[in-house]
Amino acid sequence: MNNESPRSSTYAENEIDLLALLDGLWARKWLIVGVTAIATALGVLATFLVAPTYRADVQVRPPDLSDLILINQSGMFKLSVEQAFQRGIHELESQRSRRMAFEAIRQDGLHAGKLENWDWRQFARGISLNLPAPATGVSTRDYVTASYQSGDPELAATAINKLVEVANTNAADTIIGELRYSLETRAELLREQIRQAIDLASLENNYRITQLEEANRLRALQLQDLLASLRAKNKQLRQDRIALLEEAFRIASDLGIEEPEALMQVGIGDGGKDGRLAGLAYIAGDGDPEYLRGTRMLGAEIAALKARKSDDFSSREIRDVEQELALLEHNREAEILEAREDNTAFVEGVSDLREELRLLRAYLDQDYSALRVMRLEEPADPPKYPMNSGKLRIVAIALVAGGTLGVLLALLANATAPMRRSLKASSGTDT
């Protein structure tokens, strides 16, 4: 009876197989070493055949506050140091800046032959940036390292320097464009406000002129009505006076009074003749009846009053009305308002708007070409020594690949060994 379990039997077989596998690999150790050595040698040879790679590095840092004074002084555009630096980093990463740097280098002529068959995407593959972590953001203490790898050390230095220059210029131009747009928008708004204020003042002037002219016409009509009423009144008073004088004339005729007399009381005595009143001939006073003026004076006045064509000269009130009518013929305030060509000086607040507009124009005329969103610590110089990391990596890869291939060949040889022995044995038997 066999007491050995299937599990222990399988374990024993696996242990025997593993030992046999290791024995087989050890038996073919020279095969493994040889293949590994050949692959490593090929790797070393490849390092000599592969062109060396050079890397040029530059460090850029945030701008100083003095670099942003001109941008922030207008108050229309606020840009912090961090925001400016972030814009510069975005331009370093942008395809636009990389394409423009590539075109600038090609047009420069110094490296045109090296880039003759390139496009900007091939050029951009050599660019790398060491950026701050996205979670921390950008601060004024950050330095960003920009690098370019190329087989030509001079091209590497030129490329990274040109990229930083182009990125700085592009970011600055974008900021300046936004600033000028804000200033021009505000200036146009101010000009529109000034135009509207002046137009409103002109409209109010027209309203005022219309009001003055209408008030003049109304007052003139009222005065003309008053003048007509006064003339009718004076005419009626003249007619009443004529009637009064004619009645006095009849009385004086009946009394036989031809010349002015004064009425005085005389006693009725023996000397009185028929009781008639005796009178003393002299000009009558103001309080005496009109008929005492006598028929001759009364007749003359009646004739003069009837011959009168106008009573205006006899009324001071009429002359006052005529004077006011004459003044209404020319409204000096309306004439001045109508002759005014520019209402700017009379519009409240326009001077302040014009002063602000003047400042905006000064900001628009300002030269912002010195704006920088990032500072280059030092331009990159052509590197003197190529990068070593690439060659070591090639040798390491060749070593690992050769060792792996040697082991695989040794395993394959072990696996086919029984078949080869059986074939050899069978061929010997047949012989």
Side-chain angles (χ1 to χ4, degrees), residues 215-227:
N216 272 18
R217 288 194 297 270
L218 176 61
R219 183 58 180 162
L221 292 174
Q222 291 175 341
L223 291 176
Q224 288 172 1
D225 292 342
L226 177 59
L227 187 60

Side-chain angles (χ1 to χ4, degrees), residues 36-53 387-403:
T36 304
I38 292 172
T40 304
L42 292 175
V44 172
L45 180 61
T47 60
F48 289 100
L49 296 177
V50 174
T53 301
M387 300 171 60
N388 295 322
S389 58
K391 293 184 177 182
L392 293 176
R393 187 163 52 250
I394 292 174
V395 174
I397 292 174
L399 178 63
V400 173

Side-chain angles (χ1 to χ4, degrees), residues 105-164:
I105 295 173
R106 289 187 62 180
Q107 294 175 4
D108 186 42
L110 295 178
H111 304 282
K114 303 168 188 176
L115 304 178
E116 183 177 359
N117 298 321
W118 283 24
D119 63 13
W120 72 270
R121 294 179 179 83
Q122 289 175 286
F123 168 79
R125 292 191 188 103
I127 300 171
S128 60
L129 299 176
N130 180 20
L131 300 176
T136 61
V138 178
S139 71
T140 55
R141 299 187 301 271
D142 283 325
Y143 281 79
V144 172
T145 301
S147 305
Y148 191 83
Q149 297 181 12
S150 173
D152 186 338
E154 292 184 357
L155 176 60
T158 301
I160 199 60
N161 289 333
K162 181 59 69 174
L163 176 62
V164 173

Side-chain angles (χ1 to χ4, degrees), residues 70-119:
L70 291 179
I71 290 294
N72 292 326
Q73 68 178 353
S74 68
M76 296 295 299
F77 193 89
K78 291 296 183 182
L79 187 69
S80 67
V81 171
E82 290 80 3
Q83 290 172 335
F85 191 42
Q86 187 65 60
R87 288 186 178 229
I89 293 175
H90 287 166
E91 284 296 335
L92 286 174
E93 296 179 298
S94 71
Q95 295 182 355
R96 179 183 70 155
S97 295
R98 298 183 177 190
R99 183 170 59 251
M100 291 177 65
F102 171 71
E103 294 297 335
I105 295 173
R106 289 187 62 180
Q107 294 175 4
D108 186 42
L110 295 178
H111 304 282
K114 303 168 188 176
L115 304 178
E116 183 177 359
N117 298 321
W118 283 24
D119 63 13

Side-chain angles (χ1 to χ4, degrees), residues 237-248:
L237 290 175
R238 179 163 55 87
Q239 296 298 331
D240 293 345
R241 178 67 177 167
I242 292 172
L244 178 64
L245 293 175
E246 287 178 343
E247 182 178 294

Side-chain angles (χ1 to χ4, degrees), residues 25 49 51-52 117 132 167 209 261 279 304 320 365 381 418 428:
L25 291 177
L49 296 177
N117 298 321
I209 292 171
E261 294 183 359
D320 292 339
D365 295 337
D381 293 324

